[in-house]
Short mmCIF file of all heavy atoms in Angstrom, two decimals:
data_model
loop_
_atom_site.label_atom_id
_atom_site.label_comp_id
_atom_site.label_asym_id
_atom_site.label_seq_id
_atom_site.Cartn_x
_atom_site.Cartn_y
_atom_site.Cartn_z
N GLY D 43 9.50 3.91 15.13
CA GLY D 43 9.05 3.91 13.75
C GLY D 43 10.13 4.31 12.77
O GLY D 43 10.15 3.85 11.64
N ARG D 44 11.04 5.15 13.17
CA ARG D 44 12.13 5.61 12.31
C ARG D 44 13.42 5.64 13.12
O ARG D 44 13.42 6.04 14.28
CB ARG D 44 11.87 7.03 11.79
CG ARG D 44 10.54 7.23 11.12
CD ARG D 44 10.54 6.74 9.70
NE ARG D 44 9.29 7.03 9.03
CZ ARG D 44 8.96 6.53 7.84
NH1 ARG D 44 9.80 5.75 7.19
NH2 ARG D 44 7.80 6.83 7.30
N VAL D 45 14.50 5.23 12.50
CA VAL D 45 15.80 5.41 13.14
C VAL D 45 16.22 6.86 12.91
O VAL D 45 15.70 7.53 12.01
CB VAL D 45 16.86 4.44 12.56
CG1 VAL D 45 16.45 2.99 12.79
CG2 VAL D 45 17.08 4.69 11.07
N PRO D 46 17.13 7.39 13.71
CA PRO D 46 17.50 8.81 13.59
C PRO D 46 17.90 9.24 12.19
O PRO D 46 17.54 10.32 11.73
CB PRO D 46 18.66 8.94 14.58
CG PRO D 46 18.38 7.90 15.62
CD PRO D 46 17.78 6.75 14.87
N LEU D 47 18.65 8.38 11.48
CA LEU D 47 19.07 8.75 10.12
C LEU D 47 17.87 8.90 9.20
O LEU D 47 17.81 9.83 8.37
CB LEU D 47 20.03 7.69 9.56
CG LEU D 47 20.53 7.94 8.13
CD1 LEU D 47 21.24 9.28 8.03
CD2 LEU D 47 21.46 6.81 7.68
N GLU D 48 16.88 7.98 9.33
CA GLU D 48 15.68 8.08 8.51
C GLU D 48 14.94 9.39 8.80
O GLU D 48 14.49 10.09 7.89
CB GLU D 48 14.76 6.90 8.79
CG GLU D 48 15.24 5.58 8.24
CD GLU D 48 14.29 4.45 8.60
OE1 GLU D 48 13.92 4.33 9.77
OE2 GLU D 48 13.94 3.67 7.69
N THR D 49 14.80 9.70 10.08
CA THR D 49 14.11 10.93 10.46
C THR D 49 14.81 12.16 9.88
O THR D 49 14.16 13.09 9.38
CB THR D 49 14.05 11.05 12.00
OG1 THR D 49 13.37 9.91 12.53
CG2 THR D 49 13.31 12.33 12.41
N GLU D 50 16.14 12.16 9.93
CA GLU D 50 16.90 13.29 9.39
C GLU D 50 16.68 13.43 7.90
O GLU D 50 16.48 14.55 7.38
CB GLU D 50 18.39 13.08 9.70
CG GLU D 50 19.29 14.19 9.20
CD GLU D 50 20.75 13.94 9.48
OE1 GLU D 50 21.06 13.03 10.28
OE2 GLU D 50 21.60 14.64 8.89
N LEU D 51 16.72 12.31 7.17
CA LEU D 51 16.53 12.36 5.72
C LEU D 51 15.12 12.81 5.37
O LEU D 51 14.92 13.58 4.41
CB LEU D 51 16.82 10.98 5.12
CG LEU D 51 18.27 10.52 5.16
CD1 LEU D 51 18.39 9.07 4.67
CD2 LEU D 51 19.17 11.43 4.34
N ILE D 52 14.13 12.32 6.13
CA ILE D 52 12.74 12.71 5.87
C ILE D 52 12.57 14.20 6.09
O ILE D 52 11.91 14.90 5.30
CB ILE D 52 11.78 11.90 6.75
CG1 ILE D 52 11.72 10.45 6.25
CG2 ILE D 52 10.37 12.51 6.73
CD1 ILE D 52 10.93 9.53 7.14
N ASN D 53 13.15 14.71 7.16
CA ASN D 53 13.04 16.15 7.43
C ASN D 53 13.68 16.97 6.32
O ASN D 53 13.17 18.04 5.95
CB ASN D 53 13.70 16.47 8.77
CG ASN D 53 12.90 15.95 9.95
OD1 ASN D 53 11.69 15.73 9.84
ND2 ASN D 53 13.56 15.75 11.08
N GLU D 54 14.78 16.48 5.78
CA GLU D 54 15.42 17.19 4.66
C GLU D 54 14.50 17.22 3.44
O GLU D 54 14.39 18.24 2.76
CB GLU D 54 16.75 16.51 4.32
CG GLU D 54 17.85 16.70 5.34
CD GLU D 54 19.13 16.00 4.95
OE1 GLU D 54 19.16 15.40 3.85
OE2 GLU D 54 20.10 16.04 5.73
N LEU D 55 13.85 16.08 3.17
CA LEU D 55 12.95 16.02 2.03
C LEU D 55 11.75 16.93 2.23
O LEU D 55 11.27 17.57 1.28
CB LEU D 55 12.48 14.57 1.80
CG LEU D 55 13.54 13.58 1.33
CD1 LEU D 55 12.94 12.19 1.21
CD2 LEU D 55 14.13 14.00 0.00
N GLN D 56 11.25 16.98 3.46
CA GLN D 56 10.09 17.82 3.74
C GLN D 56 10.41 19.29 3.56
O GLN D 56 9.52 20.10 3.24
CB GLN D 56 9.59 17.57 5.18
CG GLN D 56 9.10 16.15 5.44
CD GLN D 56 7.77 15.82 4.78
OE1 GLN D 56 7.34 16.53 3.87
NE2 GLN D 56 7.14 14.76 5.21
N ASP D 57 11.66 19.66 3.75
CA ASP D 57 12.06 21.06 3.60
C ASP D 57 12.17 21.48 2.14
O ASP D 57 12.23 22.67 1.83
CB ASP D 57 13.40 21.33 4.31
CG ASP D 57 13.28 21.26 5.82
OD1 ASP D 57 12.15 21.43 6.32
OD2 ASP D 57 14.30 21.01 6.50
N GLU D 58 12.22 20.51 1.24
CA GLU D 58 12.31 20.81 -0.18
C GLU D 58 10.92 20.91 -0.79
O GLU D 58 9.94 20.45 -0.22
CB GLU D 58 13.10 19.70 -0.90
CG GLU D 58 14.52 19.50 -0.40
CD GLU D 58 15.18 18.28 -1.03
OE1 GLU D 58 14.55 17.66 -1.92
OE2 GLU D 58 16.30 17.94 -0.63
N PHE D 97 6.17 13.85 -2.03
CA PHE D 97 7.21 13.22 -1.22
C PHE D 97 7.93 12.12 -2.02
O PHE D 97 9.16 12.02 -1.99
CB PHE D 97 6.62 12.62 0.05
CG PHE D 97 7.63 11.92 0.92
CD1 PHE D 97 8.39 12.65 1.84
CD2 PHE D 97 7.86 10.56 0.80
CE1 PHE D 97 9.34 12.02 2.63
CE2 PHE D 97 8.81 9.92 1.59
CZ PHE D 97 9.56 10.66 2.51
N ASP D 101 11.84 11.62 -2.86
CA ASP D 101 12.53 10.44 -2.35
C ASP D 101 13.07 9.57 -3.48
O ASP D 101 14.11 8.93 -3.34
CB ASP D 101 11.56 9.62 -1.49
CG ASP D 101 12.26 8.48 -0.75
OD1 ASP D 101 13.31 8.74 -0.12
OD2 ASP D 101 11.76 7.34 -0.80
#
Side-chain angles (χ1 to χ4, degrees):
R44 307 280 184 190
V45 299
L47 178 58
E48 288 178 311
T49 302
E50 181 182 347
L51 291 174
I52 288 173
N53 289 337
E54 289 180 2
L55 292 178
Q56 297 288 17
D57 290 338
E58 300 173 5
F97 179 85
D101 188 49

